[in-house]
Amino acid sequence: MCSNGELLIMGRNIKLVLAYDGTAYHGWQMQPKHPTVQKTLHQVLWRVLGGPMQPPEASGRTDAGVHALGQVVTFRTDKPIPAVNLVPALNDVLPPDIRVLSAEEVSPDFHPRDCAKAKTYRYRLFRSDICSPFLARFVNHYPYPLDESAIITAAGLIEGEHDFTSFAAVDPEKRIDDEDRSKVRTIFSSKWHREGEELIYEVRGSGFLHHMVRNLVGTFLLLGKGTTSAKDLKRILDLKDRSAAGPTVGPEGLYLVNVEY
């Protein structure tokens, strides 16, 4: 059992895998005055199924402008519709920037966040002087000089178990007592590579803190510009001080690639 210990809502537990372009949304989390992925999906579930009463839950909250290739979501329903039929039914109503890739019924105690074993994120830097307007919303256009070989070489230095406080932003949606929770995470792999005109970062870990990937990328960019060295990465981790790390890069280049269970 890997549920979060909360009272389970009656009904079938349905797992969806979503892909979405996050440009038009203020992140995953429900907000009363702004469009979000969770709000949009919840409204469509109501339209298709007449429910559920509770909003769908995700493996994690992507920020405003962040994309997903494989976000995992669950919701509960007492409707008898076969899970496989939900894919065309929901996609027929959802806006075109959100797609349901798959649907299946899972055990009642499955929770997309608490059961997750690993997540993979990708960040795309577009390095050419001119970025096509048809690509601009999906990459961070960064045509400035960088020592890419230094970045690629240093990528693995954050692998392993570390306290990532230096790379964690304060999440305004968290409760005050969340600040006391452990910032220790395990990074299984951390790699940069060139792919055509793009410099791409892929990181796989046990979990990620608020803005952690974007702050890591910002710090690697400082390294590429020569203002931070590879040996400074260990020092930044040890300091456990957000001000020691690099800036938070934009959300448009970030993707939640997949979640493993």
Side-chain angles (χ1 to χ4, degrees):
M1 181 173 179
C2 53
S3 69
N4 59 7
E6 298 174 354
L7 180 65
L8 293 178
I9 303 168
M10 297 300 293
R12 302 160 64 209
N13 194 20
I14 305 297
K15 171 188 169 186
L16 305 177
V17 178
L18 303 182
Y20 50 83
D21 169 2
T23 307
Y25 301 97
H26 288 247
W28 163 263
Q29 188 80 358
M30 191 87 70
Q31 295 184 39
K33 297 182 179 181
H34 300 289
T36 70
V37 180
Q38 185 185 37
K39 180 194 286 187
T40 302
L41 179 60
H42 191 211
Q43 291 170 342
V44 169
L45 287 169
W46 263 106
R47 181 172 170 182
V48 171
L49 298 174
M53 293 299 295
Q54 295 296 321
E57 297 191 74
S59 68
R61 297 176 299 167
T62 49
D63 295 327
V66 173
H67 316 295
L69 303 178
Q71 173 70 282
V72 178
V73 174
T74 58
F75 70 92
R76 293 182 180 273
T77 181
D78 58 2
K79 304 299 182 182
I81 180 173
V84 66
N85 291 355
L86 286 168
V87 176
L90 295 174
N91 284 337
D92 190 53
V93 183
L94 282 164
D97 52 6
I98 302 176
R99 293 291 88 179
V100 178
L101 304 181
S102 66
E104 63 177 312
E105 187 166 352
V106 292
S107 65
D109 65 338
F110 177 84
H111 189 280
R113 182 187 66 248
D114 298 327
C115 295
K117 303 299 183 184
K119 296 179 183 178
T120 298
Y121 280 90
R122 177 181 301 149
Y123 198 90
R124 299 169 61 189
L125 287 176
F126 191 76
R127 300 286 292 130
S128 290
D129 290 339
I130 299 173
C131 182
S132 165
F134 304 107
L135 185 62
R137 65 197 290 172
F138 302 115
V139 297
N140 182 342
H141 184 206
Y142 199 91
Y144 313 109
L146 279 178
D147 184 347
E148 294 185 8
S149 62
I151 293 176
I152 291 170
T153 300
L157 295 177
I158 67 157
E159 293 177 353
E161 185 178 85
H162 304 285
D163 186 318
F164 283 95
T165 298
S166 292
F167 298 96
V170 174
D171 187 346
E173 295 178 357
K174 296 271 189 176
R175 299 186 303 271
I176 294 176
D177 59 359
D178 284 329
E179 294 302 309
D180 296 327
R181 294 183 179 179
S182 173
K183 303 296 193 298
V184 174
R185 299 292 187 273
T186 300
I187 298 299
F188 304 123
S189 65
S190 168
K191 300 181 186 301
W192 284 91
H193 69 277
R194 254 284 188 167
E195 191 171 306
E197 300 297 333
E198 296 183 26
L199 184 63
I200 298 174
Y201 181 51
E202 289 216 359
V203 58
R204 176 175 174 265
S206 62
F208 294 87
L209 304 169
H210 189 53
H211 286 180
M212 179 173 156
V213 178
R214 292 164 62 189
N215 293 336
L216 283 168
V217 171
T219 305
F220 281 119
L221 290 181
L222 291 183
L223 190 150
K225 292 191 291 186
T227 57
T228 296
S229 67
K231 66 180 181 180
D232 287 332
L233 285 179
K234 177 66 165 61
R235 178 184 60 83
I236 292 170
L237 281 167
D238 291 341
L239 284 173
K240 301 176 186 177
D241 180 357
R242 174 67 191 97
S243 65
T248 306
V249 295
E252 64 280 350
L254 183 61
Y255 299 74
L256 172 60
V257 176
N258 61 48
V259 186
E260 300 170 46
Y261 295 94

